[in-house]
Amino acid sequence: MLFGVSIPFLLHESRILYHAHHRIARLVETWKHTPLNQSPIQIGRSGYTIHLFSLDPLVIYVEGFINEEEAQHLISLADDNFQQSEIWSNNGTVGTVSPEIRDSQWASPTRDEVVRRVEKRTVDFQGYGRVGFLEPLKVLKYELGGHYNHHYDTFPHREARTSMEGNRFSTFFVYLQANCTGGGTNFPCFSPPKDDRWCQFVDCDEPYEAGVTFRPIPGNAIYWQNLRPSDRTPHPDLLHSGLPVTSGVKIGLNVWTWTPEDW
């Protein structure tokens, strides 16, 4: 494991989106030779700790990404503005409500000081110099039975290149409130981790063929890069779902980072 390493940004293979940094490059080389699903890799940083789950696709579990005060503030900003979540067309122009596929409510919080702080933390984590690549934050509420069937966060590659201004390069899903049972985030293409220490973050009791389900833990987040660095097409292994809430309420936060104009 790696402990206590302060990192200003993460490095992956896309030179357009990331700047080379010799210390991070050495860490990535270490990660490449580490059995990722056998033990969590921890890198301490002020306010949160990251656990590397996978390099291809890049998936990082972030412990303590948002504190309780920030989470409650984001929820309060959204409380009076929730509306039924939609499913978007391939070119992102038409939204349709379809509860059998996606049953949740969403709201975009007003960009006050707390929202800007979370935005900055997100771009600092990734190495961006500005917030301009961020889609407006979305607070999501899942009540009893709330779910989102398996889907990708990206738009189809062809539409992204021809009729849209890029694509969703990365996703943060942050758990703000989890007074619930059920409601995990499932990745059916992932192999379950072999090290029991991951069981504090993932459901180790589900069948092997179900993939990996991250437990909803308030303040923690999952970060993943949606596009493959080699050709910037959507990574096929990042199919995921929000499993049904079987009791209580789950509230999360989506933060999507888009590719730059010259991607």
Side-chain angles (χ1 to χ4, degrees):
M1 292 187 186
L2 304 172
F3 295 93
V5 181
S6 177
I7 54 174
F9 44 74
L10 298 178
L11 175 71
H12 201 37
E13 297 175 24
S14 174
R15 288 177 296 174
I16 290 179
L17 296 178
Y18 289 92
H19 302 288
H21 187 280
H22 64 92
R23 190 175 189 186
I24 303 305
R26 288 199 300 269
L27 290 176
V28 170
E29 285 304 312
T30 300
W31 292 346
K32 287 180 179 179
H33 300 290
T34 301
L36 300 175
N37 277 341
Q38 292 183 16
S39 62
I41 294 178
Q42 300 177 342
I43 296 183
R45 190 169 186 216
S46 177
Y48 59 82
T49 301
I50 68 173
H51 304 262
L52 182 68
F53 187 84
S54 168
L55 271 172
D56 183 18
L58 183 62
V59 179
I60 298 172
Y61 190 86
V62 189
E63 190 177 4
F65 187 70
I66 284 183
N67 63 42
E68 182 177 359
E69 182 179 353
E70 291 169 333
Q72 292 305 313
H73 182 77
L74 291 169
I75 293 171
S76 69
L77 290 178
D79 262 342
D80 295 329
N81 300 298
F82 280 114
Q83 56 185 295
Q84 197 68 24
S85 298
E86 298 172 315
I87 300 169
W88 292 95
S89 60
N90 283 347
N91 63 4
T93 60
V94 179
T96 304
V97 174
S98 183
E100 67 274 10
I101 298 174
R102 184 181 191 183
D103 186 6
S104 65
Q105 301 172 59
W106 69 269
S108 288
T110 304
R111 290 188 71 223
D112 65 2
E113 179 183 353
V114 173
V115 171
R116 292 175 189 274
R117 184 193 312 154
V118 172
E119 290 175 337
K120 185 177 186 305
R121 189 176 306 151
T122 300
V123 297
D124 287 348
F125 183 97
Q126 299 181 86
Y128 286 98
R130 59 188 177 89
V131 179
F133 296 139
L134 290 186
E135 191 171 328
L137 306 191
K138 293 286 191 301
V139 176
L140 299 164
K141 180 163 67 173
Y142 294 82
E143 298 178 311
L144 182 63
H147 66 278
Y148 193 174
N149 292 353
H150 286 110
H151 63 283
Y152 295 99
D153 284 354
T154 47
F155 294 95
H157 182 61
R158 181 171 182 173
E159 282 79 2
R161 293 301 299 268
T162 58
S163 62
M164 304 178 70
E165 296 181 358
N167 211 338
R168 286 171 173 164
F169 174 75
S170 68
T171 296
F172 264 103
F173 186 75
V174 188
Y175 300 103
L176 302 181
Q177 177 181 307
N179 299 325
C180 64
T181 57
T185 306
N186 174 254
F187 291 82
C189 298
F190 291 179
S191 297
K194 298 177 181 179
D195 192 304
D196 288 345
R197 286 173 293 181
W198 276 107
C199 297
Q200 62 182 307
F201 305 130
V202 306
D203 184 355
C204 293
D205 296 325
E206 63 183 354
Y208 183 90
E209 59 271 17
V212 171
T213 298
F214 289 92
R215 302 177 184 274
I217 301 174
N220 294 358
I222 314 166
Y223 169 83
W224 63 90
Q225 288 186 356
N226 292 300
L227 304 181
R228 294 186 289 196
S230 58
D231 57 9
R232 303 182 185 90
T233 58
H235 201 298
D237 290 347
L238 285 169
L239 186 72
H240 63 284
S241 70
L243 297 181
V245 171
T246 54
S247 69
V249 176
K250 178 184 79 173
I251 301 179
L253 177 71
N254 267 335
V255 186
W256 287 301
T257 303
W258 279 67
T259 51
E261 295 177 359
D262 60 350
W263 74 301

